[in-house]
Each structure stands twice: as structure tokens, then as C-alpha cells.
Amino acid sequence: MAELTTTKLNAENHLLLDQPLLRLPYEVSRKNFKTAQKLVEREKETILTALPTTASMSNQGLDVNQTLASLDTMINRMQGLKRKLEGLHEEEKVLNQQSRKRIQHLQELYEIPSLADVKYEKWSRVRLDRLLVDYLLRSGYSESAIALAEEKGINELVDLDVFVQCYAVEQSLRRRSTAECLAWCLENRPALKKMNNNLEFELRLQQYIELQRSGQTVEARRHAQKYIMEKIEGRQPEADRAAGILAYSANTRMDPYRTMFSQARWDSLANLFVKTHHELFSLPPCPLLHIALSAGLSALKTPSCHSKHASSTANASSSTTSVCPICSTELNELARNLPYAHHTKSHVENDPIVLPNGRLYGRDRLLEMSAKVGLGEGWVKDPTTSEVFESSKISKVYIS
């Protein structure tokens, strides 16, 4: 009975990591609906405004050519609206198909009774592939991510297009271009306004800084009046600093203007865009692979994992080789800020002793290892720190 209890699968706990799997298609679908609604409202207003005028011209027998031209214009606008709605409808069908596949994938988890079931291993491999694709996409390895998704047949379980677009805009900012990001802000302006996000303001401010950097002071002032002053509400300190830029050149050493002229500000803008993008689509700020690894690492972490004698794989001063994943070079830094594992039971070796440096070992194992390294009788060597002590200085430990 105990074995069945420990291996029983809790699907709800597993789904904590998979919330973005369903949330992102929903957010994209909602965005498309808002776009379609805005297109219909705009064209409806235009048509309803022009229709009475055209009908009046026809009834009064005025210029027939002008009436026909007005009708052609309305027909062209409606055809254009139809094409746009058809494009959104096709995208909506893809999103619905993705959501259906993802729900089926998650439903499979509820049909697996035990962690020992072979079906769970298969399901976990699919999730691992998804996490790897997510990590590759966030790291900018789009081609590798696409190839992996196609090889594993999980295209509908990963968000390739969203992350590819995000990476393209991010890289455009690192190349000192604001056009792509401003177009993205325009496309998502209602949602960004609702979030009270300042990304567009920071982009306009960067354009202003670049104009001043190139000596175009008059153009910089016009740009500020057109784009910065209209967004000044709630950003008075930033607006004041922007005004002060006009009195300084790009090579100034005076803060905060030296920081504002710094080329490192482009990287800050790129990071701000990625943060805004992920918030808009309800995506976690770090790769899902890191979240999954952190959960596992926190169950293994002990205070000794980040000591100066951790392991030879992470610390050259250690004389031992550990198989502990936290002590490995690859995962040591990721686990540094994680909490220690909570253990309700302690596991110690038989006949424990404590060395003068405070480290505990089993007496028989320590004496055997000391003899193997060539120490004489009456001496012991700490296998972790390589310190050597007299046997008379070790103390027996009693577990209470």
C-alpha cells in the first residue's frame, strides 16, 4: 500500500508548470478577436457615414460617375475588410487546433494512474521536448527549436511563431532600430495602455536621444513635443531629464545624462521589450526548463552544496568527485538562490565521528580511506578537504 501511495500521480501538481500551454493560445485568440472587432467597428462607421450621402446623390440625380465612384470605394473597403477577417479566421482555426491538441495532451495525464506507468514516461518525454524547444526559442536558437519540434512532432504543442517574432523585435533593438518595436507597440497599444506600460514612451525617448546625439537639436525638440509631451502624465521626472539632455553632448560625464546617452540603454530597451511581451501573453519570465530544474534541485539541495568544498566538478580545491547535480558546474549557479531541501529524517553512517574541522564521517570508512592513501596508524585524512589529523583528536558522535 505504501508503494502505491508514493507512486500515485497527482495531475494537478504537474499542470502547475503547464499553464502557459493553454494560456498563450487564449491570449492570442483574444487579441485577434479585439482586432477583428476594431476593424468591423471602423469600417461600419465609415460605411454608415458615406452611405446616406451616396444615396442622396443618387436620388437627386447628381453626377452618376461620382455616385458610382463612391459605391466602388465602399465595395473596395468591404472587400478589404473581408480579406482581413478571413486572415484572422484562418489564424483562429490554427489556434483552435493547437488548443485541441494541447488539451488532449494534458488529458492524457489524467488517464495515467501511477508514476511507474510506462505511459507516464512517454508523456514526460514529450514534456521534456516541449521544455527544450521553449528554452531554445528564448535563447534565440529558432532554427534548432523548429527542427526539434518537427522531429518530435510537437509543432502544435509549442509556440514557435510568438517567440520567433519576439526574438526578431528584440534583436532589432540591439541593432539600434526602434521601428519594429514601435510597430509592435502600435499593434498592441490598447493592451499596453491597460497595463500602464511605458515601453512606447521609452522608445520615443530613445529616438529623441539619438537625434540629440547626432546634433539635430531642432528635430529633437519637435520630436519631444509630438511624442513625449503627450505621454508626460505620470512621467514628469523622465520628462524633466529629457529636457535637460538638450544642454549636454553625447560625451558628457554628468549623470543622469551620461547614462541616458550610453549605448547600454539599447540593451535595457531590448530587455524591457521581452519583459513586456511575456507579461502581455502571460508567459513566465524565465525558461520553463529552469523552473522544472529548480523544483528538482531544491529537493536535493543541502548546505554543503555551495560550500567551498562542494565538489571537484564545481570547485578545484575539492579532492572528491561528486555525482550531486547541484554541485556540478552546469547547475551550481542555477541552484544558488534556491531553498534547501526539507528532510524529516536524517541518514548517517554507522559509528559516526567528527573531525576537528567539524566534518562528520563513518569511523570504519574514514580509517579505510586513510590507510589507502598511505597514512600511518594514528592519522586520518579528510577526503573532502585533504586535511590530516591525529586519530586522538577525532570525537565520537552520539545521535539523540
Side-chain angles (χ1 to χ4, degrees):
M1 180 65 69
E3 183 178 355
L4 291 176
T5 302
T6 55
T7 60
K8 183 179 179 180
L9 190 148
N10 188 327
E12 298 297 330
N13 288 343
H14 281 67
L15 294 186
L16 292 174
L17 186 64
D18 293 309
Q19 291 183 19
L21 192 65
L22 295 179
R23 188 180 295 275
L24 183 56
Y26 166 75
E27 294 293 343
V28 176
S29 182
R30 187 175 68 168
K31 173 190 167 186
N32 286 351
F33 175 77
K34 293 287 186 182
T35 302
Q37 188 179 40
K38 184 168 63 175
L39 288 172
V40 171
E41 290 294 330
R42 185 178 63 191
E43 295 302 331
K44 183 185 75 171
E45 183 178 349
T46 302
I47 295 297
L48 292 180
T49 302
L51 195 57
T53 304
T54 305
S56 176
M57 291 170 56
S58 177
N59 292 334
Q60 295 175 10
L62 298 178
D63 189 353
V64 177
N65 292 331
Q66 187 176 356
T67 303
L68 291 175
S70 178
L71 288 172
D72 288 339
T73 300
M74 286 189 285
I75 292 172
N76 289 334
R77 293 187 69 93
M78 294 304 294
Q79 289 176 340
L81 174 62
K82 180 183 177 182
R83 287 192 297 270
K84 292 177 182 178
L85 292 179
E86 286 176 346
L88 290 173
H89 178 63
E90 291 299 321
E91 187 174 347
E92 192 72 15
K93 287 167 62 177
V94 173
L95 290 171
N96 290 338
Q97 178 66 16
Q98 284 183 348
S99 298
R100 187 178 299 108
K101 289 289 186 180
R102 296 177 185 203
I103 292 173
Q104 291 174 355
H105 172 64
L106 297 179
Q107 180 61 35
E108 292 174 1
L109 190 63
Y110 285 88
E111 299 171 357
I112 302 174
S114 168
L115 295 172
D117 196 309
V118 67
K119 293 180 180 179
Y120 177 70
E121 181 180 356
K122 180 181 177 181
W123 190 91
S124 298
R125 287 185 179 278
V126 174
R127 181 169 70 170
L128 177 59
D129 291 334
R130 290 195 294 105
L131 298 185
L132 290 173
V133 171
D134 174 83
Y135 178 80
L136 291 171
L137 288 170
R138 289 172 182 263
S139 302
Y141 302 109
S142 302
E143 294 182 3
S144 298
I146 294 171
L148 178 60
E150 291 179 349
E151 179 184 343
K152 300 297 183 178
I154 57 172
N155 293 69
E156 294 177 322
L157 300 180
V158 292
D159 305 295
L160 298 173
D161 294 339
V162 172
F163 279 105
V164 168
Q165 181 193 30
C166 174
Y167 182 72
V169 176
E170 177 192 358
Q171 290 305 304
S172 71
L173 287 171
R174 298 192 190 278
R175 293 193 302 267
R176 315 294 190 258
S177 172
T178 59
E180 294 85 348
C181 194
L182 282 171
W184 184 86
C185 290
L186 179 62
E187 181 182 351
N188 298 278
R189 180 171 288 173
L192 294 177
K193 185 176 181 181
K194 188 176 181 180
M195 292 166 56
N196 195 27
N197 186 272
N198 65 340
L199 175 60
E200 185 175 355
F201 176 82
E202 292 294 337
L203 291 170
R204 295 298 185 184
L205 179 59
Q206 187 63 38
Q207 288 180 325
Y208 168 75
I209 292 172
E210 294 304 317
L211 288 171
Q212 179 63 15
R213 189 197 306 275
S214 61
Q216 304 177 60
T217 304
V218 176
E219 289 79 1
R221 293 179 61 183
R222 290 174 182 169
H223 179 87
Q225 291 172 352
K226 183 177 181 180
Y227 295 110
I228 296 179
M229 298 307 295
E230 67 176 14
K231 296 180 174 62
I232 197 174
E233 185 178 355
R235 302 183 179 93
Q236 190 62 49
E238 291 88 344
D240 292 341
R241 287 195 291 270
I245 284 181
L246 295 173
Y248 294 90
S249 61
N251 58 359
T252 181
R253 296 182 178 275
M254 180 71 67
D255 278 326
Y257 307 108
R258 178 176 64 87
T259 304
M260 296 178 74
F261 276 117
S262 173
Q263 294 292 343
R265 196 172 187 277
W266 285 103
D267 292 328
S268 300
L269 284 174
N271 295 334
L272 176 60
F273 164 73
V274 173
K275 179 175 179 291
T276 302
H277 176 274
H278 292 355
E279 288 179 356
L280 183 64
F281 290 105
S282 301
L283 294 168
C286 62
L288 294 174
L289 183 63
H290 284 185
I291 298 175
L293 283 172
S294 298
L297 292 175
S298 63
L300 300 173
K301 184 178 177 181
T302 65
S304 63
C305 289
H306 287 96
S307 72
K308 64 180 180 178
H309 304 298
S311 166
S312 61
T313 58
N315 184 358
S317 67
S318 174
S319 61
T320 64
T321 300
S322 173
V323 295
C324 172
I326 298 173
C327 297
S328 68
T329 306
E330 296 80 7
L331 298 176
N332 189 263
E333 193 60 34
L334 178 62
R336 185 169 298 279
N337 296 320
L338 296 177
Y340 295 123
H342 175 66
H343 295 290
T344 57
K345 296 182 179 180
S346 298
H347 300 276
V348 296
E349 299 182 57
N350 294 327
D351 194 15
I353 58 172
V354 61
L355 298 177
N357 61 4
R359 303 186 73 85
L360 276 75
Y361 298 97
R363 180 185 183 86
D364 293 340
R365 187 171 72 93
L366 184 63
L367 293 176
E368 180 183 353
M369 293 176 62
S370 299
K372 285 183 178 180
V373 296
L375 290 181
E377 186 177 353
W379 294 89
V380 294
K381 181 178 181 180
D382 187 331
T384 302
T385 65
S386 299
E387 295 176 273
V388 178
F389 304 98
E390 293 183 42
S391 300
S392 59
K393 293 184 179 181
I394 62 178
S395 303
K396 186 175 178 61
V397 176
Y398 297 93
I399 307 299
S400 59

